[in-house]
Every structure is written in structure tokens, then in C-alpha cells.
Amino acid sequence: MKTFNFKFKPYVIVLLILTLVISLISLALNVYNLVIYFSIGGIKTISHIIICICTTVIAVFILSVLIYSKYKITSEYLVFNLGFYKTKINLKKISEIIDFTVQNKLIIYFNDNDY
């Protein structure tokens, strides 16, 4: 079994880190507002709780994409992990895998003439 890490382009890494920073700032501001408006209650409190949950999910997903993005070639499957998202492709459906080292791209040709 071989494991390879995704090689993101620099602008993708910058965009992911920027999105992570923005979501963490948003989370901090909404936790602050939640503490201030908690005694008032009502819709503001509920909306801040929902926004905190959403920004936490976004931050965790982006962090997992930055840390845990790889693909593995096992005896039966080609497995892609993009953060918590996982996809398996049966090797019987693949006719050829080409690694273009100059362009830093992996091309997969399937039996149904798709790539």
C-alpha cells in the first residue's frame, strides 16, 4: 500500500488558511456576542449559537483538509481522503494511472474512456 500526500498549489493553501483565519475570527466574535447577549435570550442567542456551530464545523473541515489530504493505493482500491471526506475507487474500473511529474498532476483513465 502506497500513500501520497496532496500537493496543493500555493494559492490554494493561502485561500484555505485565509478561510480558516476568517472562520476563527468569526467564531471568537460570535462567542463574545453570545456571552454579552446570553442574558437577553431569544433569537439573538439562538442565532449566535448556530453561527458558532457552523464556523466551528468550517474551521475543523478546513484544518482537516490542510493536515489530512492524501490518497492511497491499496490492493483493491484507490482511496482519496480530502479531510474527513473519503472516496474509494475500485482498481478494476481504472485502466491507467499516470503521474506527470513535470506538471505535478495525477491523471486517472477509467475503463469507460473517462478521466
Side-chain angles (χ1 to χ4, degrees), residues 4 9 20 36 38 40-41 44 46-47 84 88-89 94 101 109:
F4 304 94
K9 298 211 181 251
L20 179 65
I36 289 175
F38 190 74
I40 296 173
K44 277 203 169 196
I46 294 171
S47 66
F84 296 122
K88 286 184 178 180
I89 300 173
I94 299 173
T101 55
Y109 292 100

Side-chain angles (χ1 to χ4, degrees), residues 10 17 20 26-27 32 52 58-59 62 66 68 72 78 82 97 101 103 111:
I17 291 173
L20 179 65
S26 174
L27 178 64
Y32 173 76
C52 287
I58 290 169
I62 290 176
L66 286 170
Y68 190 68
K72 292 187 259 185
L78 176 63
L82 186 64
I97 299 175
T101 55
Q103 297 175 345
N111 292 334

